[in-house]
């Protein structure tokens, strides 16, 4: 099993290297940042001096290696637009994105699993049918349209919730949080629902499908014949046997929450790293774009690694198979 874990870690590192290479190569074709940093009165000497200071006159391989070695130390260089360390800028925006993603993930997982189990157990009831019908909205509508609809209903028409911003925040050292203020909590509701709705509906429909299949298996009938309570049959036997595909999709959707945060943060003008990335694209701020995409890659790879290793803890058959591999 140790060999399996080490192999998965090695594969994750290789994926990160390839992703970093692709992202770093792509940025060479989005424009020259020197054009945005210098005014119309620039001279060729000014251009060459700035390119030398930013390291843009180095060969591609040298630039990429410097990027990797510096990124491993948490140093992503200076922002072309703001002239400040990229790590410092991202650290200021990261709490907003992580709080939004955390709340959205909790809503998606808890409600998705709960509604999926209920819809599978009570699949003939009117409430289960209503839940499945409503789930089509979350699957069909794009994220930005859901956000706009929520703003129109709850901000424009009803005036209950703010339509943009993060509200009042409290600084706890290097972390700023909106959980401790009323305006911060209110500002979090609409973006969290917008960001988590699509993932919640996917998880719910998957759980329902897998649970319906598991509830028709012989081991569930045997458990009921033994006189076990229906709650134990549902949660201990049926749900546990569908955990592997559910965890797989859930892990991928949790990574998607961070990626989709770009759209949600743009709609609600949420001051997170997603909105920072959009602004960086407009100004060809390559260090911020590279740092953001590398961070997303690390998060996706890390989640997939945790999901793969969690299989070994959930399913003894997979643990035995991993131990037997060479």
């Amino acid at each position: 099993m140790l060999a399996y874990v080490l192999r998965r870690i090695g594969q994750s590192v290789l994926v990160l290297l390839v992703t970093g290479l692709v992202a770093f190569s792509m940025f060479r074709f989005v424009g020259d940042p020197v054009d945005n940093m210098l005014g119309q009165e620039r001279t060729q000497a000014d251009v060459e001096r700035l390119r030398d200071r930013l390291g843009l006159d180095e060969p591609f391989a040298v630039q990429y290696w410097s990027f990797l070695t510096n990124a491993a130390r948490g140093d992503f260089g200076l922002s072309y637009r703001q002239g400040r360390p990229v790590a410092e800028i991202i650290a200021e925006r990261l709490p907003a994105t992580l709080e939004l993603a955390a709340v959205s993930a909790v809503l998606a997982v808890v409600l998705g699993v709960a509604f999926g189990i209920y819809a599978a157990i009570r699949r003939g009831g009117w409430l289960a049918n209503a839940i499945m019908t409503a789930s089509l909205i979350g699957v069909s509508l794009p994220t930005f349209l859901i956000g706009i609809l929520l703003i129109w209903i709850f901000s424009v028409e009803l005036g209950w919730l703010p339509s943009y911003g993060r509200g009042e925040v409290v600084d706890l050292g290097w972390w700023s949080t909106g959980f401790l203020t009323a305006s911060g909590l209110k500002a979090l509701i609409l973006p969290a629902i917008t960001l988590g709705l699509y993932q919640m509906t996917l998880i719910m429909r998957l759980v329902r499908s897998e649970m319906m299949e598991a509830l028709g298996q012989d081991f569930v009938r045997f458990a009921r014949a033994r006189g076990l309570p229906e709650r134990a049959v549902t949660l201990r036997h049926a749900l546990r046997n569908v955990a592997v595909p559910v965890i797989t999709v859930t892990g991928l959707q949790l990574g998607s929450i961070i990626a989709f945060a770009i759209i949600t943060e743009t709609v609600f003008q949420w001051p997170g790293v997603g909105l920072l990335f959009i602004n960086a694209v407009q100004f060809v701020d390559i260090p911020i774009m590279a740092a953001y995409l590398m961070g997303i890659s690390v998060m996706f790879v890390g989640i997939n690694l945790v999901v793969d290793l969690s299989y070994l803890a959930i399913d003894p058959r997979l643990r035995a198979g991993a131990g037997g591999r060479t």
Side-chain angles (χ1 to χ4, degrees):
M1 189 170 63
L2 179 60
Y4 172 78
V5 174
L6 294 177
R7 183 167 62 251
R8 288 295 296 115
I9 294 176
Q11 292 172 352
S12 300
V13 173
L14 179 61
V15 170
L16 288 178
L17 293 176
V18 173
T19 303
L21 178 61
V22 172
F24 195 79
S25 302
M26 180 179 63
F27 292 146
R28 296 173 63 89
F29 302 100
V30 299
D32 191 348
V34 175
D35 294 336
N36 293 327
M37 299 176 67
L38 295 178
Q40 297 294 329
E41 304 299 327
R42 66 175 182 256
T43 63
Q44 186 60 32
D46 295 332
V47 172
E48 294 177 356
R49 184 164 51 251
L50 181 59
R51 294 183 64 86
D52 178 70
R53 183 166 67 90
L54 297 177
L56 299 177
D57 57 343
E58 299 286 348
F60 173 79
V62 175
Q63 293 185 44
Y64 177 60
W65 177 251
S66 298
F67 169 73
L68 288 181
T69 54
N70 292 333
R73 299 193 301 266
D75 180 11
F76 294 96
L78 298 177
S79 168
Y80 292 166
R81 180 188 177 192
Q82 302 184 35
R84 298 168 53 204
V86 173
E88 178 182 317
I89 298 173
I90 292 180
E92 294 174 355
R93 299 291 195 101
L94 193 59
T97 296
L98 291 182
E99 288 187 357
L100 175 61
V103 174
S104 301
V106 170
L107 290 175
V109 174
V110 173
L111 296 181
V113 173
F115 287 160
I117 294 175
Y118 181 85
I121 297 175
R122 301 285 190 266
R123 53 182 176 272
W126 67 269
L127 183 56
N129 292 330
I131 290 175
M132 295 308 299
T133 301
S135 69
L136 295 176
I137 299 176
V139 173
S140 304
L141 294 181
T143 302
F144 74 90
L145 184 56
I146 294 174
I148 294 174
L149 288 175
L150 291 177
I151 290 174
W152 174 59
I153 295 173
F154 293 100
S155 298
V156 178
E157 296 296 332
L158 299 177
W160 291 352
L161 298 171
S163 60
Y164 67 93
R166 195 183 177 195
E168 185 180 357
V169 298
V170 176
D171 292 328
L172 303 175
W174 62 274
W175 188 274
S176 62
T177 178
F179 288 155
L180 302 179
T181 64
S183 63
L185 291 174
K186 291 176 64 176
L188 186 61
I189 294 175
L190 293 185
I193 294 175
T194 301
L195 185 57
L197 184 61
Y198 178 75
Q199 283 73 24
M200 183 194 73
T201 53
L202 285 182
I203 294 173
M204 178 182 68
R205 297 177 73 87
L206 174 66
V207 170
R208 176 183 179 272
S209 175
E210 295 292 336
M211 283 291 294
M212 289 177 60
E213 181 178 353
L215 290 173
Q217 299 295 320
D218 291 338
F219 68 88
V220 172
R221 298 192 187 98
F222 179 72
R224 286 173 175 160
R226 291 172 55 196
L228 294 179
E230 189 64 25
R231 180 187 299 270
V233 173
T234 302
L235 300 180
R236 188 184 307 169
H237 294 275
L239 183 60
R240 185 173 181 179
N241 279 272
V242 304
V244 170
V246 170
I247 289 177
T248 301
V249 174
T250 300
L252 294 176
Q253 294 309 311
L254 292 181
S256 300
I257 284 178
I258 301 295
F260 286 145
I262 293 180
I263 301 173
T264 303
E265 290 182 7
T266 303
V267 172
F268 290 92
Q269 288 298 291
W270 188 264
V273 293
L275 185 60
L276 177 67
F277 176 77
I278 294 297
N279 294 332
V281 171
Q282 295 175 351
F283 290 93
V284 199
D285 201 339
I286 295 178
I288 288 183
M289 290 190 290
Y292 175 82
L293 290 184
M294 283 300 297
I296 294 296
S297 301
V298 169
M299 193 162 301
F300 263 104
V301 170
I303 290 175
N304 287 331
L305 179 61
V306 171
V307 168
D308 287 345
L309 297 182
S310 67
Y311 295 160
L312 305 180
I314 294 173
D315 195 333
R317 297 169 299 178
L318 297 178
R319 187 160 58 245
R325 292 175 186 173
T326 57

